[in-house]
Amino acid sequence: MRVGVRVQALVDPLRIAAGLATLAVGAIHLKLYFDSYRDIPIANIGRGFLFNAVAALGAAIALVLWPHRAAAVPALLLANATLVGFGLSRSDGGFFEFTELGWNPTPWAAASVFAEIAAAVFATALLATSAMLRSPAAQDGV
Amino acid sequence: MTDSRWRLVAIIAALLTVGCAGFALGAGLASEPRSAPASAATPEIPESSPLDGAATTPAATDSSADRDTTAASAGSEGPAAPTVAVPGTGESAGAERVEIAIVDFAFSPAELSVAAGTTVVFVNEDDAVHNVLSEDGQLQSPDLAKGDTYEVTLEQSGEIPYICNIHQFMRGTITVTA
């Protein structure tokens, strides 16, 4: 089987996996928003959770409906930005002075980090497979 | 964009993902609580809050007949005891037990006046973990998960400002009257 065909077979599953993981990120943030995080009064942190959910929905739709490798970029950026926000909120300075502890709220913080890493990995893999499909080896049918 | 540039994008994406994932995982692991705050030195409550200038509105607390009676312990089980709170006034009216709910990232009621000898019961109703900390050390709870309680009997008259040491914009004050 040629390299190009093998790699091509990965693109659709990766696109779907990245879309589902991105949707999961948004769903978790939406759940936390409605639970109590909408009441966090500082620096629009609460609204930031809602924005994350909306952005995740848009990125997931783009992944599924737009058959271009660039569709992976919004999901990749969203997932990594959310990971950075999570990390900053656990630091001494906090994320815009909002701090959290460890993996709280459990189990949603850990689930969200897992989904974010999955979304970023799948989006990266999608970009990589797109690059491989254009490689000389793939095009020569080796 | 040329193909070579897309390959570069893919490489940058991989490095970015590894870096961000490592940062998040490391921060999560490093910030996990190691010991109960009761065993540590009482940190100073910051004078300023991200909410400086914002008014805190005390809210009524529903009394519950299903709370534990074991004193000075968090999350403990015990026989139910009546708690008395006067909704809307923030005053205990001479009751022996008064409840403060930790809900929606706020203490409710935020301002409370109790008589000396009253047992104050903090109940965490949020999914997030909170704690209760006062600078004078009278209130020094462990981290409270959802459903956990922290009880303290206040004997000394005076004003006790306190915060959640995790989310320091959460503030409250208990005034103990003689």
Side-chain angles (χ1 to χ4, degrees):
Chain A
M1 209 174 171
R2 293 181 295 175
V3 170
V5 175
R6 283 201 297 267
V7 172
Q8 179 64 51
L10 290 174
V11 172
D12 286 340
L14 277 174
R15 192 181 302 280
I16 292 170
L20 288 174
T22 304
L23 265 180
V25 172
I28 291 169
H29 281 79
L30 191 66
K31 183 226 183 300
L32 292 175
Y33 172 79
F34 283 115
D35 272 355
S36 54
Y37 278 70
R38 60 182 167 179
D39 294 309
I40 296 172
I42 56 174
N44 289 318
I45 295 291
R47 278 191 279 270
F49 276 69
L50 183 62
F51 174 78
N52 185 291
V54 172
L57 178 64
I61 290 173
L63 271 166
V64 173
L65 298 182
W66 185 21
H68 191 280
R69 52 192 164 187
V73 175
L76 178 78
L77 292 177
L78 176 72
N80 283 318
T82 309
L83 284 168
V84 170
F86 174 90
L88 287 175
S89 69
R90 271 66 183 169
S91 66
D92 287 342
F95 182 64
F96 292 101
E97 298 188 359
F98 174 74
T99 55
E100 263 296 2
L101 203 64
W103 299 100
N104 298 306
T106 54
W108 304 109
S112 181
V113 168
F114 178 80
E116 287 149 24
I117 293 175
V121 166
F122 290 137
T124 301
L126 195 57
L127 284 171
T129 53
S130 299
M132 287 172 64
L133 283 173
R134 293 287 200 167
S135 70
Q139 292 180 359
D140 290 344
V142 173
Chain B
M1 257 174 111
T2 62
D3 296 333
S4 60
R5 288 187 179 177
W6 276 113
R7 278 193 283 273
L8 181 62
V9 168
I11 292 170
I12 292 171
L15 292 172
L16 183 68
T17 297
V18 169
C20 293
F23 174 63
L25 291 172
L29 290 169
S31 66
E32 279 191 302
R34 298 276 181 257
S35 59
S39 64
T42 306
E44 189 176 321
I45 294 177
E47 290 185 1
S48 65
S49 159
L51 295 180
D52 275 352
T56 56
T57 306
T61 307
D62 292 330
S63 61
S64 166
D66 297 328
R67 296 299 173 195
D68 303 326
T69 55
T70 306
S73 62
S76 56
E77 298 295 325
T83 59
V84 179
V86 182
T89 64
E91 295 194 356
S92 66
E96 292 183 350
R97 294 174 62 84
V98 177
E99 185 177 296
I100 296 178
I102 309 174
V103 60
D104 293 341
F105 285 88
F107 296 103
S108 177
E111 307 288 331
L112 180 68
S113 180
V114 300
T118 300
T119 297
V120 178
V121 182
F122 291 86
V123 183
N124 186 10
E125 298 178 8
D126 269 354
D127 284 332
V129 169
H130 298 294
N131 59 30
V132 183
L133 180 72
S134 67
E135 198 167 4
D136 64 3
Q138 288 191 73
L139 306 177
Q140 206 169 3
S141 80
D143 294 333
L144 305 174
K146 184 173 184 174
D148 283 349
T149 61
Y150 168 67
E151 300 183 10
V152 59
T153 300
L154 302 172
E155 303 287 359
Q156 300 176 6
S157 59
E159 205 169 77
I160 309 172
Y162 61 90
I163 63 170
C164 168
N165 199 34
I166 303 170
H167 314 102
Q168 296 188 356
F169 56 87
M170 294 171 58
R171 293 173 172 239
T173 303
I174 299 174
T175 302
V176 183
T177 57

